[in-house]
Amino acid sequence: MLKLVNLSKVYRTEEVETTALNGVNIHVRDGEFVAVMGPSGCGKSSLLNIVGMLDTPSSGEYWFDGEEVSKYSERKLADIRKRNIGFIFQSFNLIDELTVFENVELALLYHDIPARDRKERVKAALDKVKISHREGHLPQQLSGGQQQRVAIARAVVSRPKMLLADEPTGNLDSANGDEVMHMLTELNGEGTTIVMVTHSMPHAQYARRIINLFDGQVVAENLRAA
Amino acid sequence: MFRNYVTVAVRNLVKHRLYSAINLIGLAVGLAACILILLFVRNETTYDRFFTDAERIHQVVIRAQLPGRSPDVVASTMVPLGDAMKDAFPEVELRSSMIQQGVTVRGGDRLFSETVFAADPEFLDIFDLAFVEGDRATALRDRSGLVIREEIARKYFGDEPALGRTLTIDGQHDVRITGVMKDLPANTHLRFDILMPIDGPAVRNIEALRTQWGNISATTYVKLRPGVDLAEFNRRFADWSKTAMPEMRSPNGVIRLSDIFTPRLRPLLSINTDPLNTQMRPGTSMREIYTFSAVAVMVLAIASINFMNLATARATQRAREVSVRKVVGASRGQIVSQFVGESVLLTLIGLLLAMALVELLLPAYSAFLGKELAFDYGDPGLVGMLLGLTLIVGVAGGTYPAFFLSAFNPAAVLKGASSGVGGGSGRLRMALVIVQFAISIALMVATAVVYGQFLYAQNKDLGFDKENVVVLEGLSTRAMREKARPLAEQIAKDGRVAAVSATGITPGTFDESNTNVRMPGRDSSELLVIRSEVVDFGFFETMGMNLVAGRDFDRDRGTDIANRPEWLRPGGQRPPGTPENFEIPASVILNESAVKRLGFSSNEAALGQSYNASAGQGVSFKFTVIGVVQDFHFRSVRDPIAPAHFFVDPTQFDAVAVRIKPGDIEGALGAIDAAWRDFFPDTPTQRVFLDDRIEQLYAQERQAATMFAAFSGLAIVIACLGLFGLASFTAERRTKEIGLRKVLGAGVSDIVRLLVWQFSKPVLLANLIAWPVAWYGMSRWLESFTYRIDLNPLLFVGAGMTALAIAWITVGLHAAKVAQAKPIRALRYE
Ligand SMILES: Nc1ncnc2c1ncn2[C@@H]1O[C@H](COP(=O)(O)OP(=O)(O)OP(=O)(O)O)[C@@H](O)[C@H]1O
Ligand SMILES: [Mg+2]
């Protein structure tokens, strides 16, 4: 699915240069469920942003589905991203002005899908995360766990090959967090590749492989028995 | 997709009501102002379009360069010019000269004073005016025919048909109605009620006028054949006129009229936007049109800036939405078009509100302008222009925010719980606020200068006292003129009247006669042309004019009257055997300008001096200066004061000026009317108050100044609205900071000062831009006035302070509210 070769990311501000990623080599196969762990500031989010093509690396190669994309233009990246990648964030990032249904539908609007199909797919996605009964509500009217379920529905409704999740359970209590993890596992079971950043060891256990980052470098990869 | 955009846009509008309201109100008011100005401009620039072949119709105008006077272009010509040019130029297909005459008209038992235009029959071939009765082609070709307007027909004949009916002009000429015209539309420069053929029986003095090349009293129109190059034609026309205009010989020397008068054609379609003295109806100059268009653009610019500013300020609140859209696959182009579209949508709503405002204001606006303005929804040009305007404002207002918003890096935005992003565009927002206030301050200065100049003109010492003076006019026939003095004497007997004088001149009118003066011992080839006006004893006293040297005319001195022999009156013949150098001695009073023009070293030095001027038929006046009157304004203070002399010639009076004692004005008017009826039972009185007449000279300027002030005021209001929005936005964004400051011990006044200062800086900086621009612009504007105010630096400081005060009030109100809130609320906000 993706291969990072000697990938680095350096943030340059006026005063300081921060090396967020330093020669990272990672290989994720189709259908894998990978968790990324490490202390705060070690570069987890930076890694995920690059993998999700929201950002570009400073050096190194990024192979996605057999294509080297690290030098691609924003427009080209946006196109690959749109067809292949779904995102889940720690802070849900639902749009306040849109209802649950509309928030999920948003992910299909940029995909040339006829309105009727769109409706069906949104309903299916909402069913899957068990939030259909709230489809007319606005995000503020939902609990955190419900909001994250909507965010998951939004991430999967466009049927991406890969799901990226940055601390998806970070803002949730353990019961809600567990539920989100069950859903991710289920999605993985259906074939979606997942890369997830987390601070929670128990949640990392849902993944088949754990990558440990420290100071921008991969320090350990634990393959767990399936 | 589109529905989703609209949903988000509308929900955002509703959610952020304050911003939406500020944006919409600002836009609506700005657009409404723009539309009102647009309607005005469109109306002014489309006069006379409806005439067939309008682009081939032209008016002859004359550039008059009297020696010693500044050149003047007038919409009048000499009667013989029209025929002469038709003979000389095959390009002239049709021509018509017309003259104006005051007459009395009797129809049955109805009697009125009317102003009649006597025109060549081709007038109605040039202007295809709509007729309701009769045949336009032949109506003026019947010598004793008469064409009247519908309204005039009703005045004399009620609802009965007027065609073929008879009217009596001046009590002696019976004429037959050969045509009834529809009332003239509002958008033509033509203004008349009654037309008659120029060779008709009721036209006075026409034979003499046909030979008088020095008498500029006709209006001449021509229709050129297709394809004539106007500039080239005008060159040949001017050349031709040099030989076509004869020389005038008098005992005082030879005057070559071609040295003084140069004719040219101006297109019918430009008459309304190139107003000249003596045209039938005052127009609106291109300069005014450009000024108002510029004001419209500025008002709209201010509204657009509001829009841009509030949109970018709010952008941070929509950063998350943009980022999410990007994450799920929106391209930058899609985001940009979403926000531009949103902005255009908002502008369209603004346009709808603006249209409602326009419909609401249009009746009052039309009445104020004295025009028939209407918004014609079927006019594709107008509707197209509006939609274009909306698109421009929408796109201009939306593009910057769109690009600003679409450039957010989603990774950074989506990281935290807070959707706020540092207001990176804060500096640009302030720059835009500076621009807005610079425009507002410049407009304030401009308004103050325009109004100041207007008030100055209005209150300037005119050299006479315009209050409580009634002028009786309409002494149109020779018989009536000769009764002017007896009428004045009759009126003087009433105790409510302070002073009376017959006169040949009244301030505020445009008629003037000029004469060439010959000073003894001076080279006679030098033209010394001055205005030559006739007054009666007591005129200066009646008008409240001041003699600054010498004495007034005296009834008891025989030589104070210019005794014209009978044969020197209109229509008379010089008897054979009159001595070659026959002279009429007469006393004369100069105005101060004439003292200078004639080269006397001082007012006193002029006293007792003599010079000659033509009296017609080879006869000279021998004038002796007995006094000097302080310069007074014959016309608007816009026009320089012409050098003039005044003498007493009882055959030439055409008006009586009456100064009434304050108190019983109604009674005095009654007595005046009674005296008039005794003298002229067959002519209705025509009287005007002098102050009304003077006021009329400034009506146009007053209107322009008021309009300018109103629209500038609007611009300032809209700018403040924007500032209010921005201030409330900033206050809201700084709620947490303000809460913290209060926790740390800041008082309400500290907080208010903090916010007020933040918005004082741009207003102060705006002055630095506005002052030089306004100074330059208004100096240029004032240059066009002969008598003008100085630019007072205090005006600029005042405008700046006003802007600052307005900004303070706007921001301060808001800041106080925010600062007074309990800090805990502020801290809980996020
Ligand atoms: N936009 C940026 N500009 C400059 N430096 C950045 C930027 N984003 C991240 N960094 C720096 O890069 C390093 C890695 O940051 P990153 O957000 O990837 O850490 P993280 O592992 O996700 O931390 P956490 O667990 O707290 O989310 C940090 O030192 C951070 O300060
Ligand atoms: Mg992180």
Side-chain angles (χ1 to χ4, degrees):
Chain A
M1 173 99 274
L2 68 88
K3 199 165 89 190
L4 306 179
V5 182
N6 211 4
L7 187 115
S8 296
K9 177 70 190 177
V10 181
Y11 294 108
R12 282 188 189 83
T13 57
E14 271 153 37
E15 303 102 54
V16 285
E17 267 191 17
T18 315
T19 306
L21 295 172
N22 190 1
V24 170
N25 292 290
I26 291 175
H27 190 181
V28 178
R29 266 173 285 274
D30 281 6
E32 260 198 301
F33 188 163
V34 179
V36 180
M37 298 195 72
S40 192
C42 69
K44 303 183 295 292
S45 296
S46 304
L47 177 71
L48 217 58
N49 288 341
I50 291 169
V51 169
M53 299 175 202
L54 296 176
D55 208 351
T56 48
S58 309
S59 66
E61 296 168 13
Y62 176 10
W63 293 84
F64 184 88
D65 247 2
E67 275 181 87
E68 213 287 280
V69 300
S70 63
K71 302 283 182 302
Y72 276 18
S73 68
E74 201 190 308
R75 178 189 293 261
K76 227 162 163 186
L77 288 175
D79 193 53
I80 299 176
R81 181 171 70 221
K82 168 163 97 175
R83 285 184 286 110
N84 298 293
I85 306 174
F87 288 86
I88 303 168
F89 304 94
Q90 175 177 357
S91 50
F92 324 138
N93 284 319
L94 299 177
I95 296 176
D96 296 341
E97 286 78 25
L98 296 180
T99 62
V100 165
F101 183 93
E102 288 162 346
N103 262 292
V104 176
E105 188 188 26
L106 189 65
L108 296 178
L109 287 179
Y110 298 96
H111 282 264
D112 274 342
I113 296 171
R116 190 155 22 85
D117 297 4
R118 232 165 39 212
K119 203 165 168 186
E120 273 168 27
R121 280 172 67 169
V122 172
K123 288 220 185 288
L126 289 173
D127 274 344
K128 196 174 223 163
V129 298
K130 304 184 187 72
I131 201 83
S132 309
H133 56 297
R134 293 294 181 101
E135 65 168 48
H137 286 70
L138 292 173
Q140 284 110 321
Q141 299 165 319
L142 304 180
S143 74
Q146 288 170 327
Q147 285 190 40
Q148 193 62 303
R149 270 150 49 198
V150 175
I152 293 172
R154 183 179 64 192
V156 300
V157 72
S158 59
R159 298 180 189 145
K161 289 190 195 138
M162 181 167 75
L163 210 53
L164 301 179
D166 196 346
E167 299 185 42
T169 57
N171 283 4
L172 303 176
D173 62 21
S174 63
N176 276 311
D178 289 347
E179 196 173 343
V180 165
M181 288 318 299
H182 283 300
M183 282 178 185
L184 290 183
T185 316
E186 207 174 298
L187 287 166
N188 180 241
E190 288 164 14
T192 311
T193 312
I194 297 180
V195 179
M196 175 185 75
V197 168
T198 183
H199 281 291
S200 150
M201 201 54 202
H203 289 163
Q205 299 300 326
Y206 285 85
R208 230 179 315 153
R209 185 154 61 108
I210 300 174
I211 297 174
N212 272 300
L213 276 186
F214 189 80
D215 261 0
Q217 287 178 303
V218 178
V219 291
E221 291 197 45
N222 311 329
L223 196 62
R224 294 184 332 102
Chain B
M1 175 74 83
F2 184 70
R3 222 193 57 205
N4 172 274
Y5 287 165
V6 174
T7 311
V8 172
V10 169
R11 289 191 193 150
N12 259 305
L13 281 182
V14 175
K15 186 165 169 195
H16 304 282
R17 284 181 206 89
L18 178 70
Y19 305 118
S20 311
I22 287 174
N23 259 340
L24 277 178
I25 293 171
L27 269 178
V29 174
L31 280 171
C34 222
I35 293 169
L36 288 177
I37 293 177
L38 196 76
L39 288 176
F40 168 77
V41 168
R42 199 172 162 78
N43 180 57
E44 293 304 311
T45 50
T46 53
Y47 266 52
D48 297 311
R49 287 257 163 103
F50 58 89
F51 289 116
T52 303
D53 297 332
E55 67 291 340
R56 280 163 55 197
I57 303 175
H58 295 76
Q59 185 181 45
V60 185
V61 300
I62 298 269
R63 183 177 186 277
Q65 170 67 80
L66 291 169
R69 298 261 297 268
S70 43
D72 194 12
V73 181
V74 293
S76 311
T77 56
M78 32 303 235
V79 173
L81 183 67
D83 289 350
M85 76 184 286
K86 180 161 187 190
D87 291 342
F89 294 97
E91 295 93 327
V92 175
E93 184 182 319
L94 299 168
R95 59 86 187 82
S96 169
S97 295
M98 60 200 295
I99 56 171
Q100 202 179 333
Q101 232 170 35
V103 298
T104 63
V105 178
R106 181 186 290 284
D109 55 351
R110 300 180 198 194
L111 175 72
F112 298 100
S113 290
E114 305 278 8
T115 300
V116 173
F117 280 84
D120 287 310
E122 282 178 10
F123 181 80
L124 288 177
D125 301 333
I126 298 174
F127 295 102
D128 53 342
L129 295 160
F131 270 48
V132 288
E133 289 182 71
D135 178 9
R136 179 167 56 81
T138 58
L140 281 183
R141 295 203 153 83
D142 178 344
R143 273 193 71 233
S144 57
L146 194 74
V147 175
I148 57 180
R149 276 199 309 121
E150 256 181 311
E151 194 189 319
I152 304 297
R154 266 195 302 280
K155 187 160 112 181
Y156 287 94
F157 307 112
D159 291 332
E160 293 166 36
L163 198 68
R165 304 281 293 267
T166 302
L167 290 175
T168 308
I169 309 267
D170 286 337
Q172 45 182 329
H173 308 289
D174 283 350
V175 293
R176 211 166 43 82
I177 308 286
T178 47
V180 179
M181 305 182 287
K182 260 193 139 116
D183 288 332
L184 291 164
N187 59 344
T188 169
H189 82 288
L190 294 175
R191 270 288 160 275
F192 52 80
D193 296 330
I194 301 177
L195 271 181
M196 60 186 184
I198 199 163
D199 52 359
V203 181
R204 287 188 292 267
N205 211 14
I206 184 66
E207 282 322 310
L209 282 172
R210 284 195 195 282
T211 64
Q212 290 175 5
W213 284 83
N215 188 331
I216 309 294
S217 59
T219 310
T220 303
Y221 297 97
V222 300
K223 183 169 181 178
L224 296 179
R225 291 187 196 283
V228 178
D229 174 17
L230 184 61
E232 192 268 340
F233 179 87
N234 271 337
R235 267 193 300 281
R236 282 188 290 129
F237 188 27
D239 285 346
W240 165 83
S241 76
K242 290 204 165 56
T243 51
M245 287 188 215
E247 295 179 338
M248 295 214 309
R249 287 171 192 285
S250 79
N252 302 307
V254 176
I255 297 175
R256 285 217 310 275
L257 288 174
S258 57
D259 289 346
I260 300 176
F261 300 124
T262 315
R264 68 176 160 79
L265 295 187
R266 67 163 169 168
L268 170 70
L269 295 180
S270 77
I271 290 180
N272 189 57
T273 51
D274 175 25
L276 298 177
N277 282 340
T278 76
Q279 75 190 32
M280 285 191 201
R281 189 186 188 198
T284 304
S285 66
M286 269 335 259
R287 197 171 84 142
E288 267 175 88
I289 287 174
Y290 285 135
T291 306
F292 284 120
S293 306
V295 171
V297 168
M298 285 193 261
V299 168
L300 212 58
I302 290 180
S304 301
I305 289 180
N306 274 355
F307 188 79
M308 249 157 94
N309 257 350
L310 289 175
T312 44
R314 251 176 12 88
T316 54
Q317 292 168 335
R318 297 188 65 180
R320 178 167 355 150
E321 177 195 333
V322 172
S323 303
V324 169
R325 282 182 189 276
K326 279 189 161 183
V327 163
V328 300
S331 68
R332 188 155 183 200
Q334 282 171 314
I335 306 261
V336 169
S337 47
Q338 177 190 349
F339 283 94
V340 170
E342 217 173 272
S343 154
V344 171
L345 173 80
L346 197 67
T347 318
L348 271 175
I349 301 175
L351 180 69
L352 290 182
L353 288 176
M355 290 308 309
L357 268 177
V358 167
E359 289 294 345
L360 214 65
L361 294 174
L362 209 49
Y365 183 65
S366 294
F368 165 73
L369 290 172
K371 318 248 170 189
E372 286 165 24
L373 296 185
F375 192 95
D376 178 6
Y377 294 89
D379 178 348
L382 195 59
V383 172
M385 216 157 6
L386 277 191
L387 290 180
L389 205 68
T390 310
L391 214 60
I392 290 170
V393 173
V395 171
T399 301
Y400 173 71
F403 276 95
F404 174 71
L405 275 163
S406 65
F408 282 141
N409 175 6
V413 176
L414 298 175
K415 181 161 74 179
S418 151
S419 63
V421 179
S425 63
R427 201 173 290 167
L428 187 97
R429 273 205 294 282
M430 279 307 155
L432 289 174
V433 171
I434 291 173
V435 171
Q436 277 187 314
F437 270 83
I439 296 177
S440 302
I441 292 168
L443 280 177
M444 255 191 266
V445 170
T447 308
V449 172
V450 169
Y451 237 94
Q453 172 66 25
F454 172 69
L455 287 181
Y456 167 81
Q458 210 120 86
N459 298 327
K460 184 174 186 300
D461 180 12
L462 296 172
F464 58 92
D465 177 7
K466 63 182 195 280
E467 310 297 332
N468 297 321
V469 175
V470 175
V471 180
L472 303 175
E473 296 179 325
L475 302 174
S476 45
T477 61
R478 183 175 157 190
M480 289 177 88
R481 285 166 192 229
E482 286 176 352
K483 287 188 196 161
R485 184 186 268 175
L487 172 65
E489 283 162 356
Q490 169 80 18
I491 292 170
K493 288 180 188 145
D494 194 275
R496 290 164 288 201
V497 166
V500 189
S501 167
T503 176
I505 179 199
T506 331
T509 56
F510 284 88
D511 295 346
E512 62 173 82
S513 16
N514 287 279
T515 190
N516 183 28
V517 159
R518 199 175 62 182
M519 304 285 291
R522 288 251 217 116
D523 179 4
S524 69
S525 67
E526 185 199 2
L527 286 182
L528 279 174
V529 176
I530 61 174
R531 279 184 70 155
S532 175
E533 305 294 354
V534 166
V535 298
D536 203 357
F537 300 114
F539 174 76
F540 298 115
E541 184 204 335
T542 306
M543 300 303 292
M545 294 170 178
N546 302 318
L547 286 178
V548 290
R551 62 176 179 86
D552 199 349
F553 298 113
D554 184 348
R555 267 168 238 278
D556 301 328
R557 299 196 201 205
T559 52
D560 278 3
I561 292 192
N563 259 320
R564 237 179 235 270
E566 183 63 31
W567 51 266
L568 254 181
R569 301 187 183 181
Q573 272 298 322
R574 179 176 178 145
T578 320
E580 185 59 32
N581 50 358
F582 183 82
E583 283 184 342
I584 304 167
S587 299
V588 76
I589 292 180
L590 302 178
N591 71 359
E592 292 169 298
S593 295
V595 170
K596 289 195 199 85
R597 174 73 186 130
L598 298 184
F600 298 118
S601 58
S602 71
N603 295 339
E604 284 69 26
L607 300 179
Q609 301 292 322
S610 294
Y611 57 85
N612 286 73
S614 171
Q617 305 207 31
V619 175
S620 279
F621 285 117
K622 183 177 176 60
F623 286 121
T624 303
V625 180
I626 59 162
V628 178
V629 66
Q630 186 194 329
D631 271 348
F632 64 88
H633 285 276
F634 293 96
R635 305 176 187 173
S636 147
V637 298
R638 229 178 219 283
D639 294 329
I641 296 173
H645 74 194
F646 307 88
F647 63 102
V648 179
D649 179 350
T651 65
Q652 305 272 317
F653 301 139
D654 61 1
V656 173
V658 186
R659 176 170 296 281
I660 297 172
K661 289 179 187 160
D664 187 7
I665 306 253
E666 282 310 311
L669 291 180
I672 291 169
D673 289 350
W676 177 280
R677 272 195 303 277
D678 281 352
F679 275 80
F680 311 115
D682 291 335
T683 310
T685 18
Q686 266 181 288
R687 56 170 158 78
V688 285
F689 281 97
L690 187 59
D691 50 357
D692 289 344
R693 163 154 297 165
I694 302 288
E695 177 69 29
Q696 257 180 17
L697 295 177
Y698 302 99
Q700 185 95 357
E701 279 158 55
R702 172 190 293 275
Q703 188 181 300
T706 310
M707 198 162 139
F708 192 68
F711 284 113
S712 303
L714 264 183
I716 295 162
V717 168
I718 300 173
C720 286
L721 208 60
L723 196 68
F724 180 78
L726 214 51
S728 60
F729 164 78
T730 310
E732 190 176 296
R733 247 197 31 190
R734 295 175 77 173
T735 320
K736 190 168 179 186
E737 174 201 337
I738 289 167
L740 269 171
R741 281 177 192 270
K742 287 188 78 177
V743 170
L744 296 175
V748 172
S749 61
D750 297 312
I751 305 289
V752 172
R753 211 176 308 133
L754 182 81
L755 282 174
V756 163
W757 175 236
Q758 188 191 349
F759 285 98
S760 299
K761 275 185 289 184
V763 177
L764 289 174
L765 283 173
N767 282 313
L768 296 184
I769 301 174
W771 288 356
V773 173
W775 186 281
Y776 175 76
M778 294 326 284
S779 310
R780 290 282 308 272
W781 184 77
L782 281 174
E783 273 168 23
S784 71
F785 294 91
T786 316
Y787 305 95
R788 55 178 177 251
I789 55 172
D790 293 326
L791 278 180
N792 187 342
L794 280 179
L795 215 64
F796 291 76
V797 178
M801 298 292 280
T802 310
L804 197 62
I806 294 174
W808 278 353
I809 293 168
T810 318
V811 179
L813 282 177
H814 211 90
K817 209 172 79 197
V818 174
Q820 270 162 2
K822 291 204 166 57
I824 187 69
R825 268 194 46 207
L827 288 177
R828 232 198 271 130
Y829 201 86
E830 281 189 335

